[in-house]
Amino acid sequence: MTSSSVAAVILAAGKGTRMKSDRHKVLHAVGGRAMVGHVVAAVAPLAPARRVLVVGDKREQLEGLLPDWQVAVQDPPQGTGHAVMAAAPMLDGFAGDVLVLFGDTPLIPTRTLEAMVAARRAGDHAVVVLGFRPGDPGGYGRLVLAPDGSLDRIVEVKDATADERAIDLCNSGAMVFDGARLGALLDALDRNNAAGEYYLTDTVAAARARGWTAGVAEAASDDVLGVNSRADLALVERVFQARARARAMAEGATLVDPETVYFAHDTELGRDVTVGPQVVFGPGVRIADGVTVEAFCHLEGVTVERGATVGPFARLRPGSHLGAGARVGNFVELKKATLGPGAKANHLSYIGDAEVGAGANIGAGTITCNYDGIAKHATVIGADAFIGSNSALVAPVQVGAGAIVGAGSVITRDVGADDLAVARGQQTNHEGRAARLRRRKQGDKKQRA
Ligand code: UD1
Ligand code: CA
């Protein structure tokens, strides 16, 4: 598909009332990405020459979100046809294929969009509609076919007869138009229908009336699930996750209990990665070959290199990087922290704004005190350094390569390479004193009795 041949219009001007949300509907996330982001990503490989986002209600939340997209304002919304009219000035003079998509239908695949464009071109149709056969056709518009199998018209449920309601082929909402004929079709729309709206779906009958043809491309139901409510959002998320799990396994990862592993839209797992139960991947995670992520981990914005081990019960926050063979164990939190190859933080630590050299060992309970209440500061730990258990490293601070920090230290000054630092209260032992104390207390007790 040549780059100048397709334009994309995404509709997102509806009110989304049933979400009961202050957030714009298309900004609700699926797989850690706003729904509208999924639609944008699906259409991107077609390299649309013009890109228009139609906004209305809560538009301030969308403006500026997609810098490469022009924004058309439709206010107040008067139907899907009216929404495309709002985009028309930005399509002026465009004679390629115009894809119209819904911002709340995030799972639509690129190959389906390509198939729609191909079908429109093959039949030289004025418009091709993406149909599907849902289990329950409910409120969807019904596709009425002509005897030759082409599309005759679309009837909205509100306007349908009982016979028309019995049709199981439904309108997904996605359509592709011949840009050269779109203007004439929009001009033909009116509001003489049950909803009193400009129906985009009426462009089909308008095309037939002009002697042009319309066609149908068919999608799998799961590909065109639309979101109107939180329950729909959860359903779409479930479909997204099922696909992500299947893909991860197909690409050579072991998911011990797939149903309990949650992926983001951009999670990358290498070969022979093992993921235990109850693991959540937020956006921006890349896991190299041979890594093990044990049960109950949460990762976001991190890269884990070959052969490293994470968890169980680890939290890796954005900006973290685990080198090859590094180990992060239970109840360890990393934030903007780099662990060099083979470095270890196996138990109960917070490591933030830190660089840990190759082979270094971070003892149980070590905390980088990165925040002084005003600003964040860095901790740098050299290769093969050893940080004793329960140490506090008060940043900004550096511990040199090969240095040792004694357990329980509060380190406030830099430690040189190969030095030993101990920063804790001196221990004093009092010979026999415990026994004497005990005897005295027992004497007191007898006196009181
Ligand atoms: C629409 C279709 C219906 C189809 C269904 C699929 C029409 C007339 N009906 O119905 O045949 O089966 O989608 O889900 O097209 N929008 C605007 N401006 C508006 C109205 C809507 O931008 O004035 C946007 C919405 O934000 C949404 C999309 O268009 O992204 C669909 O709108 P919605 O009101 O949900 O359409 P349906 O009534 O469900
Ligand atoms: Ca809808």
Side-chain angles (χ1 to χ4, degrees), residues 18 25 104 228:
R18 278 182 284 164
K25 179 163 68 170
D104 61 7
N228 296 310

Side-chain angles (χ1 to χ4, degrees), residues 431-447:
E431 218 175 296
R433 175 99 171 251
R436 286 201 299 280
L437 278 171
R438 202 153 39 237
R439 276 201 298 277
R440 202 161 73 202
K441 281 188 179 162
Q442 277 160 355
D444 289 353
K445 230 182 185 172
K446 267 187 203 148
Q447 268 187 352

Side-chain angles (χ1 to χ4, degrees), residues 28-371:
H28 285 263
V30 170
R33 169 157 70 182
M35 285 194 270
V36 68
H38 285 269
V39 181
V40 166
V43 79
L46 281 71
R50 304 212 194 165
R51 299 166 295 275
V52 186
L53 180 67
V54 182
V55 301
D57 194 46
K58 303 190 183 77
R59 64 175 171 270
E60 65 289 346
Q61 296 181 21
L62 297 179
E63 278 158 355
L65 182 81
L66 302 171
D68 299 338
W69 287 66
Q70 289 182 281
V71 170
V73 177
Q74 185 208 15
D75 197 12
Q78 299 171 60
T80 48
H82 186 246
V84 178
M85 290 176 199
M90 287 146 188
L91 300 169
D92 194 37
F94 183 79
D97 286 86
V98 179
L99 276 163
V100 176
L101 306 170
F102 290 174
D104 61 7
T105 306
L107 300 180
I108 194 157
T110 300
R111 62 182 144 68
T112 301
L113 304 180
E114 287 169 345
M116 290 168 68
V117 172
R120 199 211 61 75
R121 291 179 186 174
D124 191 28
H125 298 302
V127 52
V128 161
V129 174
L130 186 63
F132 72 119
R133 297 177 199 272
D136 172 16
Y140 292 110
R142 307 294 205 271
L143 303 190
V144 182
L145 300 185
D148 66 358
S150 68
L151 184 59
D152 189 53
R153 63 202 160 86
I154 304 179
V155 57
E156 290 302 297
V157 145
K158 285 180 186 166
D159 306 286
T161 64
D163 279 355
E164 288 164 342
R165 282 180 196 224
I167 296 171
D168 68 341
L169 185 59
C170 292
N171 175 24
S172 71
M175 300 195 193
V176 60
F177 294 91
D178 174 3
R181 291 180 271 183
L182 175 60
L185 298 180
L186 293 176
D187 285 345
L189 300 184
D190 60 40
R191 305 170 63 169
N192 301 329
N193 52 55
E197 291 185 346
Y198 295 99
Y199 289 164
L200 187 62
T201 47
D202 282 348
T203 52
V204 172
R208 303 293 292 208
R210 283 198 159 232
W212 297 332
T213 59
V216 179
E218 211 170 313
S221 289
D222 280 355
D223 287 344
V224 291
L225 286 170
V227 172
N228 296 310
S229 64
R230 307 271 181 163
D232 293 341
L233 183 67
L235 176 62
V236 166
E237 181 75 34
R238 197 179 319 146
V239 171
F240 172 88
Q241 292 299 341
R243 290 176 177 184
R245 290 162 189 151
R247 191 179 332 111
M249 291 187 281
E251 288 173 359
T254 292
L255 307 184
V256 174
D257 186 2
E259 304 289 295
T260 67
V261 178
Y262 291 83
F263 290 93
H265 63 100
D266 59 352
T267 309
E268 286 178 41
L269 300 188
R271 279 166 77 97
D272 292 315
V273 167
T274 299
V275 181
Q278 307 289 351
V279 171
V280 176
F281 295 104
V285 175
R286 195 177 67 77
I287 308 278
D289 297 349
V291 166
T292 299
V293 180
E294 304 276 13
F296 301 105
C297 290
H298 191 288
L299 297 84
E300 180 177 353
V302 304
T303 300
V304 181
E305 302 292 359
R306 184 180 278 268
T309 306
V310 178
F313 298 102
R315 176 160 185 220
L316 307 189
R317 292 170 54 199
S320 297
H321 184 116
L322 297 196
R327 300 177 67 94
V328 169
N330 40 264
F331 309 110
V332 173
E333 174 180 347
L334 258 51
K335 189 219 68 171
K336 268 196 206 162
T338 297
L339 262 58
K344 294 190 196 97
N346 275 332
H347 335 264
L348 300 157
S349 275
Y350 171 67
I351 306 172
D353 301 306
E355 233 175 83
V356 178
N361 191 314
I362 309 291
T366 298
I367 305 290
T368 56
C369 308
N370 61 324
Y371 185 48

